[in-house]
């Protein structure tokens, strides 16, 4: 099987699983989010070689596992955020004492914050389903069309020192098609469309591209081509969800500003 068809097959399988578990919501979606978070944490530790100091590695693994179990148990997001802050602080102290620096604490936060955000947004109801599908549409359209528009149009590089293949034309193309995809999902769900919705899509698309660049910087910093080889033809989980990690946190923060940490969609669901 050629690499293109292997990538396509893997992408379709992953998208099908993600969409199916997102549709089910509740525990099924929490299982998906926790599995992704665990893979992200594993790959972060692999990249930053956290196993050089086994006591520190055992501690941060224990912290991450405890937090993931708490998410799986369906605890309130506010409680999870307090636990994440405490766990990240503990990992930070351990990293400084062991000489591992900030990377262990960074891995705990990078892996767990999007998991908490995603499960808080999805919840069990229809508004959560629409919100996550909307987010998928924006991030996936950004990723796909930034690549194809960039390849076709070329032009100045977006961040040549971090990711030489990305261009400004691709970035703007990704935003344009993200707006189309996001508005398509919103319209299909019967939501009212206005300039605020368009601004939110543009913001989420831009944030997802920043998340992509951050992961590219991280791999370049550690001299790695991929975050791992967990996904055939694609590399690692972080390679596939880098933009989504950043965008789901941004969407959650928008919801928190409107409705609070435990029910970030309340203001939007109530119209």
């Amino acid at each position: 099987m050629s690499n293109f068809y292997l990538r396509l097959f893997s992408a379709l399988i992953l998208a099908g699983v993600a969409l199916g578990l997102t549709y089910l919501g509740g525990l099924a979606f929490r299982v998906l989010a926790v599995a992704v978070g665990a893979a992200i944490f594993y790959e972060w530790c692999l990249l930053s070689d956290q196993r050089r100091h086994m006591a520190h590695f055992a501690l941060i693994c224990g912290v991450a596992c405890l937090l993931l179990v708490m998410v799986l148990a369906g605890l309130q997001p506010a409680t999870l955020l307090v636990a994440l802050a405490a766990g990240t602080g503990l990992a930070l102290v351990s990293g400084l004492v062991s000489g591992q620096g900030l990377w262990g604490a960074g891995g705990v936060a990078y892996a767990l914050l999007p998991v908490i955000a995603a499960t808080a947004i999805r919840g069990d109801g229809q508004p959560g389903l629409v919100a996550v599908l909307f987010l998928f549409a924006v991030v996936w359209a950004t990723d796909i069309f930034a690549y194809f528009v960039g390849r076709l149009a070329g032009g100045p590089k977006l961040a040549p020192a971090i990711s030489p293949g990305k261009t400004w034309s691709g970035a703007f193309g990704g935003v344009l098609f993200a707006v189309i995809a996001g508005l398509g999902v919103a319209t299909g769900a019967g939501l009212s469309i206005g300039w605020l919705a368009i601004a939110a899509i543009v913001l989420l698309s831009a944030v997802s591209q920043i998340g992509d660049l951050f992961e590219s910087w991280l791999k370049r910093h550690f001299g790695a081509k991929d975050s791992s080889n967990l996904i055939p033809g694609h590399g690692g989980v972080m390679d596939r969800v880098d933009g989504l990690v950043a965008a789901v946190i941004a969407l959650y923060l928008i919801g928190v500003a409107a409705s609070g940490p435990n029910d970030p969609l309340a203001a939007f669901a109530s119209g």
Side-chain angles (χ1 to χ4, degrees):
M1 183 182 293
S2 71
N3 189 58
F4 171 78
Y5 289 109
L6 182 61
R7 286 174 62 87
L8 179 62
F9 179 75
S10 296
L12 291 175
I13 293 295
L14 291 172
V17 171
L19 290 171
L21 295 179
T22 298
Y23 175 78
L24 293 174
L27 178 60
F29 185 78
R30 294 200 300 274
V31 169
L32 171 66
V34 164
V36 172
I40 290 173
F41 182 75
Y42 163 76
E43 292 176 351
W44 182 286
C45 290
L46 200 66
L47 283 172
S48 58
D49 196 14
Q50 292 299 296
R51 291 172 296 182
R52 285 182 299 168
H53 193 290
M54 290 308 298
H56 169 69
F57 181 57
L59 184 142
I60 62 172
C61 285
V63 167
C65 288
L66 178 59
L67 289 167
L68 289 170
V69 169
M70 292 172 69
V71 172
L72 202 58
L75 298 185
Q76 288 290 317
T79 302
L80 294 171
L81 289 172
V82 171
L84 176 60
T88 302
L90 183 61
L92 176 60
V93 172
S94 175
L96 294 176
V97 170
S98 65
Q100 289 289 85
L102 307 178
W103 292 109
V108 171
Y110 185 82
L112 268 298
L113 186 54
V115 172
I116 295 170
T119 53
I121 291 169
R122 176 58 186 94
D124 297 304
Q126 184 72 12
L129 173 61
V130 173
V132 175
L133 293 179
F134 168 81
L135 184 67
F136 282 166
V138 170
V139 173
W140 290 351
T142 298
D143 190 37
I144 293 168
F145 288 101
Y147 173 78
F148 283 110
V149 172
R151 289 289 297 269
L152 290 173
K157 301 297 184 181
L158 178 63
I162 299 175
S163 185
K166 292 180 172 59
T167 62
W168 281 102
S169 63
F172 286 115
V175 170
L176 173 62
F177 282 95
V179 170
I180 295 171
L183 292 182
V185 170
T187 302
L191 302 178
S192 59
I193 305 300
W195 286 109
L196 283 178
I198 296 174
I201 294 172
V202 171
L203 173 64
L204 293 173
S205 179
V207 167
S208 76
Q209 296 189 60
I210 293 171
D212 190 339
L213 288 172
F214 171 75
E215 202 252 354
S216 295
W217 171 83
L218 187 70
K219 289 188 295 185
R220 184 171 289 271
H221 178 79
F222 288 111
K225 181 179 182 296
D226 297 314
S227 57
S228 76
N229 58 358
L230 288 177
I231 305 175
H234 286 270
V237 173
M238 282 173 62
D239 297 321
R240 298 279 57 84
V241 301
D242 46 11
L244 190 60
V245 162
V248 74
I249 294 171
L251 182 59
Y252 179 63
L253 291 176
I254 293 171
V256 167
S259 310
N262 286 330
D263 190 6
L265 298 181
F268 307 104
S270 63

